[in-house]
Structures are given as C-alpha cells and as structure tokens.
Amino acid sequence: LRVRDRTEVKIIDETVYGDLIFNDVTEDDWFYDAVMFTAERGLLNGTGHSIFEPDATLTRAMVATVLYRMAGQPKATSTASFTDVEANQWYTEAVEWAVEEGIVLGYEDNTFRPHNNITRQEMAVMLARYAQNVCAIEMEDEGTLNAFADGSAVADWAHDAVVWFVNVGIINGMDNNIAPNNNATRAQFATIIMRFIQTYDL
C-alpha cells in the first residue's frame, strides 16, 4: 500500500451524495464531507430517520462494527468468549471478527463492554491494529507529541498509534491538544476514517 503525500489527500470527497440527507448535518459543518463520505459507503450510518448525531459519543461496539464493514464483513470463524457479548446482537459478528484479527483484546474480567464510550486514544489504537493486521500497513511511529500541549497525557500503550496518525495527518488534534482521554464523537470518527481511507488509497 502506498501512502499518498499529505498534500495530495483530498479533504472534500467528490462523491455525489444524492438523496442522502441528515437533518442534523449541514454543508457548513466541518464534518459534513466526512459524515457523507462514511455514510454513503455504509460504514457509519445514521442513528435514526435522517439523524446522524455527529456530537454523540462512540461506543466500543460502534468502532468494531465500522472496522468490520471496512473489511467487507468477513465471516468470523470462531465465537468470542466475552461474557457480555450475546449472540445475535447487531455488533456480535463484528466483535468476534475483531477478536480474531487482534483488533480488540477485551478486559481482564473477560468482558468487552460493548456499550462503553471509547476515548480518542483507544479509538486510535483499534484503528492502528486494523491497519497493521488487516491492511498490512507498516506503522510509522517515529516522532513525539511534544507539539501538543497535552502530548504527555497520551498513555504509553497508545503512544505509537497516536504518533503514527499524527505523522500522516489522520489525527490533527483540537486546539493544540490531542485530548486522548476525551470520549470520541461520531463526527470525529467519521473524519478519521475518511482521512485513513484517502491516505492509504483503500
């Protein structure tokens, strides 16, 4: 896979979105193109009739499901043993696949906690594992986060993933902050997924 020069990455997608309309997303919103980009591809759908909820928080199950859709929704060959992931839930197959691919590891008490909000650094780590394990993309983790006021707040286990995505322009931070422990929003995730797909020509 070839990484495009950062200046070549399209910020605004040229797709014609047709009748795809969300009442809570307008063309003036910074996340408009990312929302439409991911929704048009069936990666991150609305939460109700013509509603996207861009400022709503993401859950662990949502992230696993979007990555699963990006991979083409392959059939999982085993059943995840998490005590809190029941059969036939909307996220069950995605979680089982994500476990097989080493994208999610769960917690020490054998739970996945699908409905827990996910932080920005947790989101980065899951996407990094997807990039490495599913797309065979080599991590570019050289560098620091010293340019960000809260760079030192990024956990050691997330540092390389965050540095990687900062280096290639997928994560830009917010007001000179990474905000690693903030809950990720649906709009933020849509933007990161769009940049990821465009950066690596996926």
Side-chain angles (χ1 to χ4, degrees):
L1 291 172
R2 179 175 62 87
V3 181
R4 286 190 287 177
D5 183 88
R6 192 177 309 179
T7 59
E8 296 179 1
V9 176
K10 294 184 296 181
I11 299 303
I12 298 178
D13 187 64
E14 296 175 354
T15 302
V16 177
Y17 301 118
D19 295 330
L20 184 60
I21 296 174
F22 294 115
N23 295 332
D24 54 352
V25 177
T26 71
E27 293 185 25
D28 293 331
D29 292 322
W30 62 267
F31 47 75
Y32 173 80
D33 286 287
V35 167
M36 294 304 179
F37 182 98
T38 52
E40 192 272 340
R41 287 158 178 74
L43 300 177
L44 191 57
N45 302 321
T47 59
H49 183 65
S50 298
I51 297 296
F52 186 81
E53 292 190 280
D55 297 322
T57 53
L58 273 173
T59 66
R60 289 167 54 80
M62 288 178 187
V63 174
T65 299
V66 170
L67 298 180
Y68 177 61
R69 290 170 179 165
M70 287 171 61
Q73 303 186 82
K75 180 70 176 179
T77 59
S78 62
T79 301
S81 58
F82 295 125
T83 58
D84 57 350
V85 176
E86 299 178 0
N88 302 318
Q89 299 299 308
W90 59 267
Y91 52 80
T92 303
E93 187 79 9
V95 172
E96 291 174 349
W97 165 83
V99 170
E100 289 183 358
E101 296 294 340
I103 295 168
V104 299
L105 305 178
Y107 293 89
E108 292 181 357
D109 61 356
N110 199 33
T111 62
F112 177 69
R113 305 176 194 178
H115 304 298
N116 279 19
N117 291 332
I118 193 168
T119 64
R120 286 167 53 83
Q121 64 182 353
E122 289 170 340
M123 173 184 64
V125 168
M126 286 182 65
L127 182 58
R129 290 173 180 160
Y130 172 86
Q132 293 174 298
N133 299 349
V134 177
C135 303
I137 299 173
E138 185 176 349
M139 178 180 285
E140 303 175 17
D141 57 355
E142 294 184 4
T144 70
L145 298 172
N146 294 339
F148 297 93
D150 62 347
S152 61
V154 175
D156 289 343
W157 50 264
H159 181 271
D160 288 351
V162 175
V163 167
W164 177 9
F165 292 137
V166 167
N167 284 347
V168 296
I170 292 173
I171 293 178
N172 293 334
M174 304 183 301
D175 298 324
N176 197 38
N177 287 286
I178 291 292
N181 295 306
N182 285 18
N183 290 330
T185 69
R186 287 168 53 82
Q188 290 170 354
F189 189 47
T191 301
I192 285 173
I193 290 298
M194 181 184 73
R195 290 173 180 164
F196 176 77
I197 290 172
Q198 293 180 337
T199 297
Y200 291 103
D201 287 327
L202 300 177

